[in-house]
Amino acid sequence: SGVSPVSPSVQPSKCTIAISFVGFGIVMLFYSFFKTLVGKEVAVELKNNVVLTGKLHSVDQYLNIKLSDVQVVDKSRYPQLLALKNCFIRGSVVRYIQIPPGEVDTELLQDAARKENAPAAVSSKA
């Protein structure tokens, strides 16, 4: 069935993740999450508004992405990308990554985010 592309009015039935982090821990959280999606169909919207769909081949700790079986969503606007089959996308140019909703364990992701953002435990001295 695949993933429909990200659009300005994101459909509620899709899971879209905005990629703009500052904390190292959050980056590592998403890195671990995206590693579980290798082999799945995703849509990637770049900051220059190009939207590509393809199979997630790999991701690294900088959230750089390799896609295979790539297709450009707006073929008439970006005809120069029609021959593209595999690509490497630098993490800093990604705006959104849209994934199949069935691939997201939201409870696990929320728990991990809560743990990452929890204040450090105060150690008591006896």
Side-chain angles (χ1 to χ4, degrees):
S1 36
V3 175
S4 63
V6 177
S7 66
S9 58
V10 176
Q11 302 148 357
S13 64
K14 304 295 179 193
C15 181
T16 303
I17 298 176
I19 307 298
S20 55
F21 316 90
V22 270
F24 175 74
I26 295 295
V27 170
M28 295 311 291
L29 172 69
F30 279 97
Y31 167 60
S32 299
F33 174 69
F34 286 130
K35 283 195 316 186
T36 67
L37 298 173
V38 169
K40 308 290 186 203
E41 189 78 16
V42 296
V44 179
E45 181 179 333
L46 307 180
K47 290 180 180 177
N48 65 358
N49 297 321
V50 172
V51 180
L52 303 170
T53 60
K55 189 181 297 184
L56 183 62
H57 181 268
S58 64
V59 62
D60 67 15
Q61 69 270 25
Y62 302 104
L63 300 180
N64 297 319
I65 296 169
K66 285 185 185 177
L67 291 179
S68 57
D69 304 324
V70 175
Q71 294 192 5
V72 62
V73 171
D74 192 350
K75 293 172 176 46
S76 61
R77 188 169 177 193
Y78 304 105
Q80 69 275 23
L81 298 177
L82 292 178
L84 191 64
K85 296 300 171 205
N86 301 301
C87 68
F88 174 88
I89 303 170
R90 182 180 167 114
S92 64
V93 301
V94 174
R95 180 178 294 144
Y96 298 111
I97 298 176
Q98 190 169 3
I99 57 179
E103 300 298 331
V104 182
D105 183 348
T106 53
E107 286 187 35
L108 183 64
L109 201 54
Q110 287 172 349
D111 286 346
R114 278 190 210 102
K115 287 177 188 172
E116 180 62 34
N117 291 318
V122 178
S123 60
S124 60
K125 294 182 181 180

